[in-house]
Amino acid sequence: MEAVVSFEEFSYSYPTREDVLVDIDFQVHRGEVLGVIGPNGAGKSTLCRCLNGLIPHFYGGRIRGKVIVAGLDTQEHSTAELSMKVGLLFQDPIEQLSGVALTVEEEVGFGLSMLGYPKEVIGERVAEAIERVGLKGLEGRSPYELSGGQQQRLALATVLAMRPEVIALDEPTALLDPIGKYEVFGVLRELASEGSTLMVVEHEIEELAYIADRILLLHGGRILSIDESKRVLSEVSRLKEIGVDPPSVTELTYLLEREVGVALGEYPTTLPEAVRLYGEVLRS
Amino acid sequence: MGVVRRVLLDKRVLTGDSIIHRLDPRPKFFFFLWISVLAYVFYDYVLTALFLLVILALAAAAGILRRILLVLAVIVLPGFAFAIPILSVLFPWNETLMFKLHILGFELPLYYEGFTWGLSWPLKIAVCVSSALLFYLTTEPGELIALLFKLRLPYKFIYMVTITLQLIPLLLDEIQTIYQAQLSRGLRTKANPVKRIWNFLALVIPLTLSSLMKVQTRAIALESRGFSAPVRKTCLYDIRLRAGDHLFFSAMIAVTLLLAYLYLLYGFSPIVHLKFYYVAG
C-alpha cells in the first residue's frame, strides 16, 4: 500500500526541551486510520506538528531524519504549502477558528480563500464539507453560537474543505462533553469508512478501538509498539505500566483471566466484540 | 468601559435596513474622511456644528443617533468643560474681550477668541468621532473586509483590523472570567487606590499570559490553513456601487465645490469671520 506519511529515523528536540521524539520510524498508508496513544508528555502532539511543517518552521529546534508527507519533505516545504496535503485539527475548537469569519460557511471557506481559490470552487467545497460533518442548515450561523461538538465538527469541515491527503487530529474530543465527543467520533467513523487517511491522537481509547486500523504506542518520545490496534490494545499490562488505560472490556477480560482464571482465548477491544465473545462463553 | 462596550462592541444589534445601512461602505468611509478633513480645514465653530448636525441627521436616519450621542457625551462634553473656560482666559491670541468674571475678589477677563477656540476643537473631535461611528455602526464586518480588499491593503493588515473588532468581546469575557476567579481567591476590590493598582496586576498578568498563549495557538491554526501562502487571497464578500451611492458621492462633490468657493471668498472662517489668526497665519 502507498505510504502517505513517512517518518524516517526522525528525532526532534524543541529549543527548550531535549529529545521529545527519538528514532521515530513508521509509515501511514493511504486509506489507513492510525491511532496514536501514550501518556501525557509522550510526544503525541509534537508528532502531529511534524506533519504540516509547524516543526521545524514554526517551533524551530533540532531535527534528525526526515518526515515525508504526500511526497513532500516537511523541512523543505512551508506550512502553507503543506496545508493542502495535511489537515490538522486541534483540541480547542474555539482557538482554531479564524476569528474573522461571521458564519459557518465563511469559516469553512477561510482556508481556501487564503490559498487564493476562486469563489465558485470555494462555494462547492464548502457545501460539500459542511454536508460531510453534518452541519447542513447551520451555514449562516455564527461559529461562536455553536455547541462545542458542533464547533469541533466545523473545525473538521474547515480541514475537509482543503481536501488534504491526510488528516491529523490532536485529541479532538479532549475539551468536549459526552454529546460533543459522540458527534465528533460519529463523523470520524464515517470518514474512516469512506477510506480517508487519518492519524488520530486520542485518550478516548474506547472510541479509538472502533476506528483505528493500527495503533502506535508512544512513551518518552519513543515508539513502544506499532501494530494492528487489537494487538496493541491487548497488551494490557504494558499499557497499564506506562499509565495508559486499555478499553474497559479488554481490561475486564484481562482481569478475569489473571484473577479468576477465566480465559476467552483473545481480548475483545470493542463492546460488540466483547458481547460476541462473552456470549459464546456463556452459551457453552 | 460600559458605554464603549454598549456602543462599539454590542454591534450585532445594530444590523438594520436603513438607507445608510444600504449604502456601499466606500461612500460611507469616504464621507468619514471627507467631513473630518473639512472640520479641520475650516476654523469656524458654526460650520463645524453644521457638519456635526448633518452627521447626526444621517445617524438618526440609520437609527443609531442615541448611541452616537452617548459616545459624544462621554468624549466631547468634558472637552467643552475644560477647553472653553481655560482658553477663554489663557489663549495666547485673545484680544476681543467679551466680559469680565468676578470671582473671590478677582477680575477674570473672558475673551471671544479663546472661547470660540475652546468651542471649535471639541466640535472638530465630535465630527471625526461621530462620522467614524456612523461608518462603523452601519457597516457589516463582511463589507468592511471587502472594502479593505478593494483598497488593496495587505491581507495581514486586513486581518489585524477585523480580528481586533471580532476578538475584543472575547477578550472582555476572558477578563470577566479572570476577575471572577481572582475574586473567589480573595482579591479585594474595596481597598485604597495604591492597593487597587497592585490588585490590578492580579488581572493583568494572567490575562497577558493567557492572551499570549491563545495568540500562539491561533497563529499555529492560521498557518495550518495557509495564512502565509504567497498568493493573492480571495475575498469572500461582494460590494457594489449602486445609484444611491453615486448620488451620495455627487452630493459630497457638490458640497466640496460650494465650500471651496466659500473658502476662497471668506477664508477658513466663512460664517463667524473670526478676527484672530491661527498660529500659522
Side-chain angles (χ1 to χ4, degrees), chain B residues 169-205:
Chain B
L170 294 180
L171 194 67
L172 291 176
D173 287 343
E174 181 84 5
I175 292 174
Q176 201 59 29
T177 308
I178 294 172
Y179 180 64
Q180 283 168 5
Q182 299 295 51
L183 272 184
S184 57
R185 291 162 67 191
L187 180 80
R188 284 165 56 200
T189 51
K190 287 177 184 164
N192 64 54
V194 178
K195 183 78 179 150
R196 275 193 209 181
I197 292 170
W198 190 248
N199 285 348
F200 188 61
L201 289 177
L203 294 180
V204 170
I205 293 171

Side-chain angles (χ1 to χ4, degrees), chain A residues 13-80:
Chain A
S13 297
Y14 281 108
T16 53
R17 200 150 45 104
E18 289 291 312
D19 297 333
V20 179
L21 294 175
V22 182
D23 295 333
I24 302 295
D25 200 302
F26 71 92
Q27 293 183 329
V28 184
H29 302 107
R30 193 171 295 283
E32 180 185 33
V33 179
L34 178 74
V36 180
I37 59 172
N40 288 335
K44 306 186 293 294
S45 296
T46 304
L47 200 68
C48 287
R49 290 172 194 153
C50 294
L51 287 181
N52 69 345
L54 285 171
I55 288 173
H57 303 305
F58 193 88
Y59 287 95
R62 270 184 301 112
I63 280 181
R64 197 163 48 80
K66 270 184 188 179
V67 180
I68 309 286
V69 177
L72 304 179
D73 187 333
T74 57
Q75 289 179 67
E76 288 166 13
H77 293 84
S78 69
T79 302

Side-chain angles (χ1 to χ4, degrees), chain B residues 11 21 25 35 38 49 54 59 84 90 97 106 110-111 126 138 142 145 210 213 217 224 253 258 273 280-281:
Chain B
K11 205 184 155 205
H21 283 89
I35 207 155
L38 284 180
V54 170
I84 293 176
L90 300 173
L97 184 67
F106 289 99
L110 294 183
Y111 292 93
T138 60
I145 295 171
S210 85
M213 284 169 70
T217 314
S224 307
I253 292 168
L258 176 68
H273 296 289

Side-chain angles (χ1 to χ4, degrees), chain A residues 59 97-98 106-107 117 119, chain B residues 159 218 220 225 234 237:
Chain A
Y59 287 95
L97 295 176
S98 67
E106 290 165 15
E107 184 62 44
Y117 276 78
K119 263 190 192 174
Chain B
Y159 185 81
R218 194 173 290 272
I220 292 170
R225 293 170 75 182
T234 310
Y237 309 95

Side-chain angles (χ1 to χ4, degrees), chain A residues 17-260:
Chain A
R17 200 150 45 104
E18 289 291 312
D19 297 333
V20 179
L21 294 175
V22 182
D23 295 333
I24 302 295
D25 200 302
F26 71 92
Q27 293 183 329
V28 184
H29 302 107
R30 193 171 295 283
E32 180 185 33
V33 179
L34 178 74
V36 180
I37 59 172
N40 288 335
K44 306 186 293 294
S45 296
T46 304
L47 200 68
C48 287
R49 290 172 194 153
C50 294
L51 287 181
N52 69 345
L54 285 171
I55 288 173
H57 303 305
F58 193 88
Y59 287 95
R62 270 184 301 112
I63 280 181
R64 197 163 48 80
K66 270 184 188 179
V67 180
I68 309 286
V69 177
L72 304 179
D73 187 333
T74 57
Q75 289 179 67
E76 288 166 13
H77 293 84
S78 69
T79 302
E81 283 174 83
L82 289 162
S83 65
M84 291 305 299
K85 305 286 181 191
V86 186
L88 196 53
L89 197 72
F90 304 91
Q91 282 181 12
D92 190 342
I94 290 273
E95 285 176 13
Q96 53 197 312
L97 295 176
S98 67
V100 292
L102 306 172
T103 63
V104 165
E105 220 167 23
E106 290 165 15
E107 184 62 44
V108 178
F110 177 81
L112 294 167
S113 72
M114 289 299 97
L115 295 169
Y117 276 78
K119 263 190 192 174
E120 303 72 45
V121 177
I122 295 177
E124 275 170 32
R125 290 213 194 170
V126 164
E128 183 194 299
I130 287 177
E131 174 118 39
R132 280 181 88 183
V133 299
L135 288 180
K136 206 162 187 309
L138 301 176
E139 293 92 335
R141 192 83 71 84
S142 161
Y144 294 99
E145 289 171 8
L146 302 180
S147 69
Q150 287 172 331
Q151 279 177 340
Q152 194 60 294
R153 282 188 285 150
L154 167 62
L156 188 53
T158 66
V159 168
L160 291 175
M162 312 276 271
R163 292 190 185 159
E165 298 201 24
V166 58
I167 302 174
L169 304 102
D170 186 4
E171 297 186 45
T173 63
L175 301 179
L176 302 182
D177 60 16
I179 295 173
K181 284 180 190 190
Y182 174 78
E183 288 173 356
V184 171
F185 270 108
V187 176
L188 292 185
R189 280 187 203 191
E190 270 182 38
L191 289 176
S193 67
E194 287 167 9
S196 302
T197 310
L198 307 176
M199 191 168 118
V200 189
V201 172
E202 192 49 81
H203 281 295
E204 293 285 331
I205 291 176
E206 309 265 353
E207 292 291 345
L208 204 54
Y210 283 92
I211 58 170
D213 300 309
R214 285 192 304 155
I215 282 185
L216 185 157
L217 176 62
L218 265 184
H219 181 52
R222 292 172 190 273
I223 295 179
L224 281 194
S225 64
I226 177 165
D227 209 329
E228 280 174 23
S229 60
K230 194 169 168 61
R231 277 200 194 158
V232 175
L233 295 178
S234 299
E235 295 175 335
V236 177
S237 56
R238 191 179 202 185
L239 291 174
K240 298 291 273 181
E241 235 170 63
I242 60 166
V244 175
D245 277 332
S248 307
V249 286
T250 317
E251 191 172 0
L252 171 71
T253 313
Y254 168 78
L255 290 173
L256 280 174
E257 184 180 305
R258 208 180 76 170
E259 293 176 15
V260 186

Side-chain angles (χ1 to χ4, degrees), chain B residues 86-96 111 113-115 117 276-277 279:
Chain B
I86 293 171
L87 292 173
S88 297
V89 178
L90 300 173
F91 189 53
W93 291 274
N94 275 342
E95 62 176 48
T96 315
Y111 292 93
E113 287 78 8
F115 173 78
W117 194 263
F276 65 94
Y277 283 86
V279 63

